[in-house]
């Protein structure tokens, strides 16, 4: 399966002039987010869908980006990590693609990208819809302005993903049932041992009522 994905990636890479740069920038941005560790095992899946998404066309890119954010959010919530990698890759690609209609030189973007100080990136305030609206309406002054705002907005969106492992376990169908069953078993066992100890300690004491 991985070999097939790699072949498809190579095919798409030579077929799309800007695909390698978009793929690399989206992947590096994702890796520098709080969910980067969850994505690492699915690098091939992420990059494959990033390259595929370059070809996607939408009338409303804002709604499309929001739609893929919601798909990614739900996939992560249910621990479907390969689907999560797919949806995040598409979302980050669409964010870049919607700005490639500007006059910003892609060559300049590539040069600036190599010197990005990831620790200096600041997260933005606002809910998901506000962040996406900000990005859609944003008009960059130059390539550096575009690049840093893309990274900042993307990281701000990824920051809202449900990365907490306990929350994800409780929303994963099979794991949720297993956790509930385990909790019931532990509670029942605890009650049994508490009752047994009380019988051992107080079994000889009998209530005789009032005189």
């Amino acid at each position: 399966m991985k070999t097939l994905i790699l072949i498809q990636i190579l095919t798409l890479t030579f077929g799309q002039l800007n695909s390698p740069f978009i793929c690399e920038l989206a992947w590096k941005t994702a890796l520098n987010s709080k969910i980067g560790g969850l994505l690492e095992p699915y690098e091939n899946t992420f990059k494959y869908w990033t390259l595929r998404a370059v070809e996607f066309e939408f009338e409303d890119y804002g709604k499309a980006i929001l739609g893929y954010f919601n798909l990614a959010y739900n996939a992560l919530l249910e621990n479907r990590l390969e689907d999560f990698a797919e949806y995040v890759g598409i979302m980050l690609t669409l964010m870049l693609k919607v700005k490639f209609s500007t006059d910003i030189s892609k060559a300049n973007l590539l040069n600036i990208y190599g010197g990005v100080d990831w620790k200096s990136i600041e997260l933005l305030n606002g809910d998901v819809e506000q962040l996406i609206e900000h990005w859609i309406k944003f008009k960059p002054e130059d390539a550096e302005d575009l690049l840093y705002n893309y990274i900042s907005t993307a990281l701000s969106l990824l920051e809202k993903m449900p990365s907490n492992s306990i929350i994800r376990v409780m929303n994963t169908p099979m794991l949720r049932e297993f956790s509930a069953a385990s909790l019931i078993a532990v509670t029942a066992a605890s009650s049994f041992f508490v009752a047994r100890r009380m019988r051992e300690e107080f079994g000889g004491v009998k209530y005789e009522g009032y005189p």
Side-chain angles (χ1 to χ4, degrees), residues 1-38:
M1 181 62 179
K2 288 186 176 180
T3 302
L4 177 60
I5 291 176
L6 286 172
I7 292 174
Q8 290 172 318
I9 287 176
L10 289 173
T11 301
L12 287 168
T13 298
F14 288 110
Q16 293 285 344
L17 180 60
N18 298 304
S19 293
F21 167 65
I22 290 177
C23 177
E24 184 62 25
L25 176 55
W27 176 243
K28 190 67 178 290
T29 301
L31 283 185
N32 279 275
S33 72
K34 72 172 187 177
I35 47 85
L38 297 174

Side-chain angles (χ1 to χ4, degrees), residues 73-142:
Y73 187 99
N74 291 329
L76 182 56
L77 200 61
E78 297 174 358
N79 251 15
R80 294 182 287 111
L81 297 184
E82 188 163 10
D83 290 339
F84 174 65
E86 172 186 337
Y87 300 140
V88 171
I90 295 173
M91 180 188 76
L92 295 182
T93 300
L94 295 181
M95 288 179 64
L96 279 170
K97 183 176 179 181
V98 75
K99 293 302 177 183
F100 274 1
S101 60
T102 66
D103 295 329
I104 300 295
S105 169
K106 300 177 185 64
N108 288 341
L109 278 176
L110 187 57
N111 292 333
I112 297 169
Y113 159 72
V116 169
D117 180 5
W118 292 90
K119 294 181 179 179
S120 71
I121 303 297
E122 296 183 0
L123 299 181
L124 305 175
N125 295 321
D127 58 28
V128 173
E129 289 81 1
Q130 290 172 330
L131 291 172
I132 294 174
E133 183 179 8
H134 156 77
W135 177 249
I136 295 297
K137 294 182 176 180
F138 169 67
K139 297 184 182 303
E141 296 179 359
D142 52 31

Side-chain angles (χ1 to χ4, degrees), residues 43-93:
E43 179 179 359
N44 288 341
T45 298
F46 181 99
K47 290 184 175 180
Y48 168 72
W49 284 103
T50 297
L51 295 168
R52 285 290 302 274
V54 173
E55 303 172 340
F56 293 177
E57 297 289 343
F58 297 95
E59 291 185 5
D60 190 330
Y61 277 86
K63 288 183 178 179
I65 293 168
L66 177 60
Y68 279 106
F69 174 91
N70 290 331
L71 287 171
Y73 187 99
N74 291 329
L76 182 56
L77 200 61
E78 297 174 358
N79 251 15
R80 294 182 287 111
L81 297 184
E82 188 163 10
D83 290 339
F84 174 65
E86 172 186 337
Y87 300 140
V88 171
I90 295 173
M91 180 188 76
L92 295 182
T93 300

Side-chain angles (χ1 to χ4, degrees), residues 152-164:
S152 179
T153 306
L155 291 180
S156 300
L157 286 170
L158 295 177
E159 183 70 20
K160 297 183 180 298
M161 291 293 174
S163 60
N164 184 286

